[in-house]
Amino acid sequence: MNTKRWIAIVAAVALLGISIVINSAFALFQNSFGTGVDELMGATETGFSENVIEAGDFNKRIAVMNVDGVIQDTGEAASLFGAAGYNHQAFMEQLELVGEDDSVKAVVLKVNSPGGGVVESAEIYDKIKEIQKNTEKPIYVSMGATAASGGYYISAPADKIFVSPETLTGSLGVIMQSVNYGELAERYGVDFVTIKSGPYKDIMSPTRDMTPEEEAILQEMLNDSYESFVDVIAEGRDMTEEQVKQVADGRIMNGRQAVEADLADDFGYDEDVIAALQKDFDLAGAEVFEYGANQGLGSLFSMKVNSLFGADMESQMIAKLLTEHSAPRMMYLYGEK
């Protein structure tokens, strides 16, 4: 191992230690002085700031909500080695606020996501359906550069879906992946010892080939999730199961193709979607706002560390291996995690 790699490893380990210390100290600080910190950081009583996009009538407001990034629950705080991205817990809390706030008359959901976890996508979908049922608030979706797989799943129940002609969408289906490095390990003399209580306890092990029986077990699980996905689209888009399955084969498509396949309603960017919502539901003059998250000291520190080490791709990869230990799971996801 050359000097550069040793330096990268030492730097990654050091940063991991610093991250643990900073996060622990900040958590203690928040627990001890939580109310004061929130006030200093400009938080509202809900814990989220409200950034006004268009000033207007406060009694009839349009909430703009953002799903930006992979839809997965990685915890509240961003990793030291990664920029703050989609925060599942925060987004679910924002949906709860939208449902309870009588001043919010409509929602624009901005989706820029390749999808994500099956469970997290279903949680968002269920909450959107609950809001629609209990409040009858209209929800329009504005798809960004990418709104595929789980990104489409959470969009399906919307009253209208708007795309750019070049939006990357589709990829309707389920995927489960793992890496098999058994042959590589064998080449270097690495032997894996596994003691298990049943024949399938190490299913999808990265150290060996999968058996046909194991593959059949997993395929049955994926088929169930796929059928649920098809049902969600069929209900949301008023399509038959057969119509959905004609395009729900994993293919990716652009915005033009999505409109032609009845998976989207019209073309438009964020401002067009807001204007359409105002026109369709007599919300001219409504205040338009979006929720903003307050950045804690940990997030600010993370930004500084990324700025310092961002150019060192090798140290980032090593840090990722040190801090992420994710088991294979079913995903509504286009592309790699």
Side-chain angles (χ1 to χ4, degrees), residues 2 4 31 43 51 55 79 89 117 146 150 184 276 278-279 291:
N2 60 34
K4 180 180 177 182
N31 290 335
N51 307 320
S79 166
Q89 181 177 336
T146 303
L184 177 65
Q278 290 172 326
K279 178 182 178 182
Y291 292 109

Side-chain angles (χ1 to χ4, degrees), residues 20 68 75 90 101 122 125 132 191-192 198 212 240 249-250 255 305 309 331:
I20 294 172
D68 193 353
D101 191 339
Y125 171 83
Q132 291 174 319
D191 186 26
F192 295 93
T240 66
D249 53 7
V305 170
F309 293 94
M331 304 285 282

Side-chain angles (χ1 to χ4, degrees), residues 210-323:
M210 189 161 48
T211 68
E213 292 79 11
E214 290 172 330
E215 187 173 348
I217 290 172
L218 295 176
Q219 187 64 57
E220 184 177 357
M221 291 169 51
L222 262 70
N223 290 345
D224 285 345
S225 293
Y226 171 74
E227 293 298 334
S228 296
F229 200 161
V230 170
D231 291 342
V232 161
I233 299 171
E235 179 184 347
R237 299 302 301 169
D238 193 22
M239 299 169 67
T240 66
E241 181 179 310
E242 182 180 358
Q243 288 174 321
V244 174
K245 288 187 174 180
Q246 287 179 356
V247 292
D249 53 7
R251 75 181 68 178
I252 199 70
M253 62 185 74
N254 61 28
R256 296 183 183 88
Q257 293 169 318
V259 171
E260 291 173 358
D262 291 329
L263 294 176
D265 297 287
D266 205 348
F267 302 106
Y269 298 100
D270 297 341
E271 59 272 19
D272 303 312
V273 178
I274 293 171
L277 195 53
Q278 290 172 326
K279 178 182 178 182
D280 293 346
F281 293 92
D282 193 24
L283 291 172
E287 178 185 274
V288 181
F289 77 97
E290 64 181 351
Y291 292 109
N294 296 296
Q295 288 188 316
L297 299 180
S299 297
L300 295 175
F301 185 80
S302 172
M303 291 170 60
K304 291 298 183 182
V305 170
N306 278 304
S307 175
L308 181 61
F309 293 94
D312 190 345
M313 183 62 67
E314 187 170 19
S315 65
Q316 287 190 18
M317 292 175 63
I318 294 173
K320 192 177 183 70
L321 290 173
L322 286 171
T323 56

Side-chain angles (χ1 to χ4, degrees), residues 37-80:
V37 170
D38 286 344
E39 291 175 354
L40 287 172
M41 299 300 286
T44 66
E45 61 180 10
T46 65
F48 300 100
S49 60
E50 293 183 357
N51 307 320
V52 176
I53 300 172
E54 294 181 16
D57 188 347
F58 185 81
N59 293 315
K60 56 175 187 178
R61 303 198 295 162
I62 297 174
V64 177
M65 308 188 68
N66 292 277
V67 175
D68 193 353
V70 178
I71 304 169
Q72 57 182 342
D73 191 353
T74 57
E76 288 189 75
S79 166
L80 177 66

Side-chain angles (χ1 to χ4, degrees), residues 180-190:
N180 185 347
Y181 49 76
E183 187 176 333
L184 177 65
E186 183 179 351
R187 185 184 307 171
Y188 286 93
V190 179

